[in-house]
Amino acid sequence: SARVAGAVRDFVDQNATGIYAAWAQVVDGDDKGVYKVAMSVGWNPHFGDLERKTVEAWLLHDFEADFYDKTLHVVVIGRVRDELKFDDVDDLKKAIKTDGKFCDTVLDWHVKWLDDPHFAANDKPPKFDLCGNRISD
């Protein structure tokens, strides 16, 4: 909807560029789980895209099917680092991998957001161990 698109544009325009940790759900997809995200907000300086800030969410989960043209709900937990310009694509790939690992780890400390009302009801509730870590089925 236009309201949601406006909210996304507002977030991108009003927040600093960089990498963010978040939780996300493909609300109208086959898999309605809530998953960890490493999200980039920025200009994509490595590729010379400096016309308008964009947002790119990397869901740290292997989906069985694609979710193009589906609705993604995202709850941003925090900013990880500034946007960087890389000298080559290999350095960029290494940073993306490092950011994904960091977000995967830090989001373990923020499992309470899995119950955020922003997310649609999951097919089944998440399970947690005694330390509050989410257990995969």
Side-chain angles (χ1 to χ4, degrees):
S1 79
R3 183 181 62 78
V4 172
V8 172
R9 186 79 254 153
D10 287 347
F11 176 83
V12 171
D13 291 342
Q14 295 172 11
N15 286 278
T17 60
I19 304 302
Y20 290 80
W23 290 99
Q25 178 187 47
V26 182
V27 179
D28 50 353
D30 294 334
D31 182 341
K32 294 187 178 26
V34 179
Y35 298 106
K36 297 173 182 177
V37 174
M39 187 173 80
S40 172
V41 173
W43 302 101
N44 298 324
H46 182 77
F47 298 103
D49 182 4
L50 301 174
E51 291 185 25
R52 190 168 190 188
K53 283 197 296 186
T54 62
V55 61
E56 297 173 348
W58 172 25
L59 280 72
L60 305 174
H61 175 74
D62 291 325
F63 287 86
E64 292 184 19
D66 72 50
F67 49 90
Y68 290 102
D69 297 322
K70 302 293 184 189
T71 303
L72 185 67
H73 281 192
V74 178
V75 173
V76 177
I77 304 304
R79 190 162 178 269
V80 173
R81 66 167 174 82
D82 290 340
E83 178 179 47
L84 302 172
K85 180 166 177 26
F86 296 93
D87 293 330
D88 63 56
V89 174
D90 288 334
D91 289 342
L92 172 62
K93 288 178 182 178
K94 287 178 194 172
I96 290 170
K97 192 173 193 175
T98 299
D99 293 335
K101 287 179 181 178
F102 180 84
C103 290
D104 183 46
T105 299
V106 77
L107 288 165
D108 283 340
W109 305 331
H110 299 279
V111 294
K112 67 179 181 182
W113 291 98
L114 294 170
D115 296 325
D116 191 278
H118 185 68
F119 298 123
N122 292 321
D123 293 334
K124 52 190 167 186
K127 297 177 185 173
F128 300 94
D129 66 18
L130 295 175
C131 296
N133 298 312
R134 187 171 186 185
I135 301 169
S136 299
D137 289 331

